[in-house]
Amino acid sequence: MVCGVATDVLYSRCRDPGVVAFGPDHEHVAMPQRPAQGLYDPRFEHDSCGFGLIAQLDDQPSRAVVEGALKALAGLNHRGAVAADGLSGDGCGLLIRRPHAWLQALAGESGLAGDPQLAAGLVFLGPSSDAAARAVATLEVCLRAQGVRLLGWRQPPIVADACGAQARASLPQVRQIFVAPPQQMGARRFEQALFMGRRDAERALADDPDFYVVSLSAHAVGFKGMTLPEHLPDLYPDLARADLCSSAVTFHQRFSTNTAPQWRLAQPFRLLAHNGEINTIQGNRHWALARRGLWQAPGVDLARLDPPVSLHGSDSQSLDEMLEILLAGGMDALQALRIMIPPAAHALEQLNPDLAAFYEYYAMHTEPWDGPAGIVFAHGDYAGCLLDRNGLRPAR
């Protein structure tokens, strides 16, 4: 199964038969408005991005899926910007679903204790050794406070020359953390523990602008950076390993407009890749702030998430963070996404009374994240894509 988007016409076909990526659009970022400068107005700063998903319908992991995603991502280089150095891009990345055998091999080669429920995360740290050590220690403390077992850290190979001079100037230190649940902790509680531990660390390190957790989950491993998409496996040689197999990979080129390119803002985020714009982003963020004291979930204190979603940065970032909260509260990805982005065609809902009741009930408790958008996601047993409420994306 392959889906994707980039412009209003089919633009790229991978060499593998049947692997097609297509479609674009605009991404909106809520930022303080800068004054117009002559004929220039910052509100015109919209550009296109490309994204997609490649998945095996039988859920069998294979190297072909990863290689197909890398080829499709490389075909999206025209959807992003390139700096004057010719090598610095404005953001691309992959989200790889459950590469268990690969993670086990990496842990074993690093001398770390193996575990059948092993999970891993990728962490960006600042250039200062003192700040990096503080961030590592803080994340460890917060994860252990949630009952997570820390197996150890790994220094993944990074080839900085895959980036241009501009991207290298802000290249973070990259570390890989390996964790596992205690025996009595189930899979859902483990994900909650990883989520809350990470959010507690983010709050404790709010004064460290360089600390960022790219991914930390048993469901997926993320890689991203400010390099050209065809050079992402050069930057992260781990991506070229033959034992890196998966049944689903999401990918994205160009992060979000109206912000200066940053390593942390490249997509995919921790659950999804988004193409388009959320026109209601300010209201969505403020409603999340207003409701955070009312959220309840067994085993997790959602009320202490402050703020629950990012109030700056990109709309895609906030959308991903809101989805994380719903999943941490016990929903599955299909339910959560349909609550956040319900269809607009109410007449169709009446054909199924149960479906109509579902949308009517949740409409009383939340508002849609509205706007032209296409989303690809992977979490748990699901990988898929959906359109905005009016189906305006060319990914249809």
Side-chain angles (χ1 to χ4, degrees):
M1 177 179 69
V2 181
C3 65
V5 62
T7 132
D8 53 350
V9 295
L10 182 67
Y11 75 86
S12 175
R13 181 178 294 271
C14 298
R15 292 175 182 168
D16 290 342
V19 179
V20 180
F22 52 109
D25 264 46
H26 307 306
E27 174 144 334
H28 169 73
V29 181
M31 293 289 287
Q33 287 298 309
R34 295 168 289 173
Q37 303 169 25
L39 295 178
Y40 168 76
D41 191 316
R43 291 176 298 176
F44 300 151
E45 281 191 9
H46 294 282
D47 211 325
S48 300
C49 60
F51 76 98
L53 160 71
I54 297 181
Q56 285 284 119
L57 291 178
D58 59 7
D59 197 25
Q60 293 301 308
S62 72
R63 178 63 191 172
V65 170
V66 177
E67 291 180 348
L70 289 170
K71 290 180 180 179
L73 180 62
L76 296 175
N77 58 4
H78 64 296
R79 303 317 309 166
V82 182
D85 59 32
L87 286 175
S88 296
D90 61 351
C92 65
L94 300 169
L95 191 63
I96 304 169
R97 181 177 185 267
R98 293 178 174 171
H100 289 311
W102 175 76
L103 290 176
Q104 293 285 357
L106 293 181
E109 292 169 8
S110 302
L112 303 178
D115 190 287
Q117 295 178 285
L118 174 147
L122 201 72
V123 182
F124 287 166
L125 304 168
S128 166
S129 57
D130 291 341
R134 173 184 172 236
V136 166
T138 301
L139 180 59
E140 289 180 353
V141 168
C142 293
L143 289 173
R144 286 192 175 109
Q146 292 292 325
V148 174
R149 290 195 297 122
L150 180 66
L151 302 180
W153 291 83
R154 171 180 179 260
Q155 178 67 65
I158 301 294
V159 180
D161 289 342
C163 302
Q166 188 168 337
R168 285 200 304 271
S170 58
L171 176 68
Q173 295 188 56
V174 182
R175 300 282 298 278
Q176 193 169 30
I177 184 173
F178 290 85
V179 294
Q183 289 185 354
Q184 70 274 16
M185 185 178 286
R188 172 166 286 181
R189 175 68 190 110
F190 183 41
E191 285 298 310
Q192 287 180 330
L194 293 176
F195 169 71
M196 292 304 298
R198 192 200 84 221
R199 290 298 301 262
D200 288 343
E202 290 172 348
R203 184 171 54 184
L205 295 167
D207 60 340
D208 184 351
D210 299 307
F211 171 74
Y212 181 78
V213 179
V214 177
S215 65
L216 180 56
S217 170
H219 292 291
V221 176
F223 289 88
K224 60 185 181 180
M226 286 173 53
T227 187
L228 301 185
E230 62 266 34
H231 294 317
L232 191 67
D234 299 327
L235 175 65
Y236 296 106
D238 283 343
L239 293 175
R241 290 179 52 129
D243 57 351
L244 175 52
C245 301
S246 178
S247 60
V249 180
T250 63
F251 52 90
H252 189 282
Q253 159 66 355
R254 184 166 177 83
F255 62 108
S256 41
T257 53
N258 295 352
T259 61
Q262 298 179 37
W263 286 77
R264 65 169 59 208
L265 288 180
Q267 292 196 51
F269 286 102
R270 300 178 184 107
L271 295 169
L272 58 81
H274 168 230
N275 168 275
E277 55 183 318
I278 304 299
N279 293 329
T280 56
I281 188 62
Q282 289 286 51
N284 298 135
R285 287 167 167 166
H286 292 158
W287 274 116
L289 279 174
R291 293 189 177 114
R292 69 186 185 276
L294 302 176
W295 292 334
Q296 296 182 16
V300 56
D301 182 11
L302 296 176
R304 76 168 185 260
L305 301 179
D306 188 21
V309 300
S310 174
L311 304 181
H312 304 288
S314 75
D315 55 352
S316 303
Q317 178 184 2
S318 297
L319 182 73
D320 184 84
E321 290 168 344
M322 189 67 221
L323 179 58
E324 278 192 305
I325 290 172
L326 295 180
L327 296 182
M331 293 184 182
D332 66 49
L334 303 184
Q335 179 186 15
L337 282 166
R338 264 317 183 198
I339 290 171
M340 295 175 65
I341 309 177
H346 293 288
L348 296 177
E349 298 167 22
Q350 304 308 319
L351 298 176
N352 186 319
D354 290 337
L355 189 60
F358 171 85
Y359 287 122
E360 182 179 0
Y361 174 78
Y362 283 104
M364 296 187 295
H365 300 284
T366 187
E367 74 295 326
W369 292 61
D370 212 353
I375 292 171
V376 289
F377 68 93
H379 183 268
D381 294 328
Y382 302 108
C385 61
L386 74 159
L387 302 178
D388 56 275
R389 304 181 71 211
N390 296 304
L392 297 178
R393 294 299 84 188
R396 171 185 289 275

